[in-house]
Amino acid sequence: MKKLNELFAALLLVFGLLAACGTNAEPKKEDTNKEPVSEQANEANEESFPVTIKDAADKDVVIKKKPEKIVSLIPSNTEIVYALGEGNTIVGVSERDNYPEEVADKEKVAGMELNIEKIISLEPDLVLAHASTATMWEAGLKQLEDSNVTVLVVNDSQSFDEVYTSIEMVGKATGKTAEADQLIQDMKSKLDEMKKQGESISAEEQISVFVEVSPAPEIYATGQNTFMNEMLDVINAKNAVSEEGWVQLNEEAVIKLNPDVFVITYNFEKNASDKVLKRAGWQDITAIKEKQVHEVNEDLVSRPGPRIVEGVEELAKAIYPDVFGK
């Protein structure tokens, strides 16, 4: 139970119910502070303030001028800001922020609780909150607003379309609407390319996948109508779990499902794949017999930000190496 509680605490900060954040994987190098696509686009964005945004808390948030100092309370928001070329404006982040590398030098202002005094001392023009933690931090966010700090609650994304909405919202809030549009189009193009590759997989070749988000003895898996299920759909893989949402199963139920591939999304347990392979009574499961048990980067497959495309790529190469590993 201790392991499950630990997982839920981590996942709460990204998806509310189950959305993992931390990882020890080496991040991919990329230009996280790209300049605006053009001087004209930059000038247009600079002239867009003040702006009024209907946020996820159903509030009309007025941002009077382009933010020069931003506090981000959740990793996905931070990654969006960096992807839009505004990483230099970030002055405070959560304890779970780990990408890009520069965030290691930012002030840590949020863990399970908000450090209200530190946030106020940073004098931010904008605090990017998140719907997944808005209720938990309701009193703290209200205290910030009462101190004349502008707080924008970004939506809790459970699909690709909702991630695009988050990017659009942050883009508008930071004066980077053109960059946000371009980022979304780039993401959609890459996903479309992978979807076309997946269409080459016939019904007979389609692989059944069990995605474990919490280990034994309390096994949780991702079901239908979830962020992860949409990722599997893109690459034409079949989710072994037919129930909706995040489902708890006993070991006998997993044996009956008999998946072809086993994917592990949690990174807090060492040698997780070896432990799955050695589970008693599982020796006849196809994934176990064929040693098709794969660990993937937790952040890439669960953090609703610009790197979800990398998450789909990682899943694709693990599940269909012959199709996507080329």
Side-chain angles (χ1 to χ4, degrees):
M1 188 67 183
K2 179 180 179 181
K3 291 180 180 178
L4 185 57
N5 289 337
E6 179 183 354
L7 176 66
F8 281 172
L11 299 181
L12 177 62
L13 291 174
V14 177
F15 283 133
L17 176 60
L18 280 169
C21 288
T23 185
N24 294 321
E26 184 68 22
K28 182 181 290 187
K29 300 292 184 183
E30 63 180 36
D31 183 3
T32 53
N33 278 289
K34 294 186 292 185
E35 291 300 317
V37 293
S38 70
E39 290 185 6
Q40 286 182 334
N42 183 53
E43 290 173 0
N45 286 335
E46 293 288 353
E47 296 171 359
S48 64
F49 292 91
V51 297
T52 301
I53 302 172
K54 176 78 73 174
D55 74 355
D58 202 33
K59 301 194 312 292
D60 288 322
V61 179
V62 179
I63 302 175
K64 297 179 180 179
K65 63 183 182 66
K66 180 178 172 60
E68 297 178 357
K69 297 171 72 176
I70 296 174
V71 167
S72 172
L73 302 182
I74 202 164
S76 56
N77 286 346
T78 305
E79 291 195 19
I80 293 171
V81 173
Y82 271 91
L84 295 177
E86 289 293 293
N88 61 307
T89 65
I90 295 285
V91 294
V93 296
S94 78
E95 292 175 358
R96 297 189 181 280
D97 273 86
N98 57 5
Y99 187 90
E101 293 179 353
E102 296 93 299
V103 300
D105 299 324
K106 304 295 183 179
E107 289 286 344
K108 303 301 183 290
V109 299
M112 291 304 295
E113 297 180 355
L114 293 180
N115 189 330
I116 301 298
E117 291 184 2
K118 182 174 285 189
I119 293 173
I120 293 175
S121 73
L122 293 173
E123 300 181 343
D125 303 305
L126 177 66
V127 170
L128 291 175
H130 198 260
S132 64
T133 54
T135 300
M136 181 175 69
W137 290 340
E138 183 176 6
L141 296 179
K142 179 65 164 55
Q143 189 174 344
L144 290 173
E145 291 173 335
D146 290 344
S147 299
N148 295 319
V149 176
T150 302
V151 177
L152 182 73
V153 181
V154 178
N155 60 299
D156 182 16
S157 303
Q158 300 295 338
S159 67
F160 292 142
D161 283 343
E162 290 177 354
V163 172
Y164 303 147
T165 297
S166 297
I167 293 172
E168 288 172 348
M169 186 183 297
V170 176
K172 187 174 182 180
T174 57
K176 293 285 185 171
T177 54
E179 287 78 3
D181 290 343
Q182 186 62 58
L183 176 58
I184 292 168
Q185 289 306 312
D186 290 344
M187 292 170 68
K188 287 181 176 180
S189 294
K190 291 177 182 177
L191 289 172
D192 285 343
E193 288 176 10
M194 283 186 282
K195 192 166 186 177
K196 288 179 181 178
Q197 283 182 276
E199 290 173 353
S200 68
I201 300 166
S202 67
E204 292 75 19
E205 296 171 321
Q206 192 178 40
I207 286 177
S208 170
V209 183
F210 184 88
V211 183
E212 184 172 281
V213 298
S214 175
E218 296 177 340
I219 299 172
Y220 275 80
T222 183
Q224 305 294 313
N225 294 325
T226 59
F227 198 77
M228 180 69 68
N229 190 74
E230 189 171 5
M231 289 182 163
L232 294 176
D233 285 342
V234 169
I235 60 174
N236 200 14
K238 180 182 178 182
N239 192 339
V241 178
S242 60
E243 294 91 341
E244 293 191 1
W246 307 93
V247 185
Q248 184 175 14
L249 303 102
N250 57 37
E251 298 197 17
E252 290 73 18
V254 181
I255 293 172
K256 290 181 180 179
L257 291 174
N258 190 28
D260 300 312
V261 171
F262 205 98
V263 172
I264 297 168
T265 67
Y266 49 88
N267 297 154
F268 63 82
E269 186 168 283
K270 294 181 179 179
N271 303 315
S273 57
D274 289 339
K275 292 177 182 178
V276 168
L277 287 167
K278 294 175 181 177
R279 284 180 186 166
W282 282 28
Q283 64 275 6
D284 292 329
I285 296 177
T286 300
I288 304 302
K289 286 192 296 184
E290 301 295 329
K291 292 184 169 51
Q292 292 298 308
V293 179
H294 307 282
E295 298 178 49
V296 295
N297 185 326
E298 185 177 4
D299 293 346
L300 296 183
V301 298
S302 65
R303 188 174 289 179
R307 293 192 296 158
I308 57 170
V309 175
E310 294 178 41
V312 178
E313 290 175 339
E314 187 164 328
L315 278 173
K317 291 176 181 179
I319 297 168
Y320 292 118
D322 293 338
V323 178
F324 295 96
K326 299 176 183 179

